[in-house]
Amino acid sequence: MSEHTSKQFDVELESIRTHVMEMGGLVEQQITRAIEGLVEGDQNLIERVIEDDHRVNALEMALDELCTQVIAKRQPAAIDLRLISAVLKAITDLERIGDEAKKIAKMAKAIHGGALAVPRVQLSHMAEMAIAEVRNALDAFARMDTDAADAVVRADKQIDAEFKGVMRQVITFMMEDPRTISGGIDIIFVAKALERIGDHAKNMAQYVYYMARGEDVRHNKTPKA
């Protein structure tokens, strides 16, 4: 590869990284707005999350096309090929995180649009944990930092525990007051969406090991040291 071609390739890889971060930032914004809409009952904010989902989808398709072009044109090897492969996986997880944010917005719309009795369960802490996990996974991905990636994997267990706690609270409300059953189911769907966001962030963190070391740790209980 000539020096000129090598520089062009570096520019293309940097463009890919920049677009991944842009997509990640948009997805993080979607989650934040969906939760704000749920907490505050802001219908305009809720509708904006639902309408902006197409932007996440468009970024995924653009990145997919960009990665495919780079593979075809440059035929990258070793770490560069692992980077592009990991990006293709990561943008799928980011798109699915966007879908979960959209689900939360739709649940918020149902909760605030009807006359349902809704259990008074706090989801803000779980939401903060999920948003932090996405942000930290993106940071680990950008820096190919396996230590930071390991911290994200560990943090996901805390979100899983938080989800179980929310489930227990909601079920208790529903047993004590059957009028809260419909609203309680909506709250469970929101909590499950946050738990799934954590799962997708964990996936992204695990791709860091593949990029940095060529290790696929997705089905291991813990990454190799």
Side-chain angles (χ1 to χ4, degrees):
M1 187 182 291
S2 70
E3 184 180 350
H4 177 67
T5 304
S6 177
K7 286 181 179 178
Q8 284 182 324
F9 186 32
D10 288 342
V11 169
E12 288 163 355
L13 289 178
E14 189 57 38
S15 176
I16 287 171
R17 290 191 189 95
T18 300
H19 280 83
V20 171
M21 292 303 109
E22 180 187 353
M23 186 177 179
L26 176 57
V27 163
E28 186 182 328
Q29 186 181 70
Q30 285 283 89
I31 307 166
T32 301
R33 286 176 173 168
I35 292 299
E36 285 179 6
L38 174 66
V39 172
E40 299 169 10
D42 187 330
Q43 291 291 340
N44 290 331
L45 204 55
I46 291 167
E47 290 293 348
R48 186 171 178 183
V49 172
I50 295 168
E51 290 169 5
D52 278 356
D53 185 59
H54 75 279
R55 293 175 58 202
V56 177
N57 297 339
L59 277 169
E60 183 200 17
M61 289 188 291
L63 265 165
D64 192 294
E65 178 65 22
L66 185 57
C67 288
T68 302
Q69 287 177 359
V70 169
I71 290 171
K73 187 165 58 174
R74 305 297 182 195
Q75 298 181 343
I79 193 168
D80 292 329
L81 181 59
R82 294 204 304 267
L83 167 66
I84 295 170
S85 298
V87 165
L88 287 167
K89 290 180 171 69
I91 61 176
T92 298
D93 280 292
L94 284 172
E95 190 274 333
R96 288 175 182 167
I97 291 172
D99 286 344
E100 297 299 335
K102 184 179 177 181
K103 284 181 193 174
I104 293 170
K106 285 186 171 181
M107 288 299 103
K109 188 175 181 179
I111 288 167
H112 291 289
L116 297 176
V118 179
R120 299 178 68 83
V121 177
Q122 289 295 325
L123 291 171
S124 297
H125 181 58
M126 187 178 181
E128 287 168 5
M129 291 170 68
I131 292 166
E133 192 174 348
V134 172
R135 186 183 301 125
N136 292 338
L138 283 163
D139 184 57
F141 195 91
R143 295 186 290 114
M144 287 201 288
D145 185 336
T146 54
D147 289 336
D150 196 26
V152 172
V153 173
R154 291 196 302 270
D156 187 57
K157 294 176 183 176
Q158 297 172 358
I159 292 184
D160 292 343
E162 191 81 8
F163 172 68
K164 290 175 183 175
V166 169
M167 284 283 290
R168 285 194 295 270
Q169 289 180 59
V170 173
I171 289 168
T172 300
F173 273 107
M174 290 162 70
M175 289 172 65
E176 292 177 352
D177 185 356
R179 292 174 300 174
T180 65
I181 290 175
S182 292
I185 290 170
D186 287 344
I187 294 295
I188 288 171
F189 275 127
V190 171
K192 185 61 181 176
L194 289 170
E195 190 261 344
R196 291 294 297 141
I197 286 169
D199 287 343
H200 289 300
K202 181 180 75 171
N203 288 347
M204 289 177 57
Q206 289 175 329
Y207 303 147
V208 175
Y209 290 87
Y210 177 67
M211 285 192 298
R213 303 176 183 172
E215 298 173 9
D216 189 341
V217 300
R218 284 175 294 174
H219 301 295
N220 295 350
K221 288 187 178 178
T222 55
K224 292 180 183 178

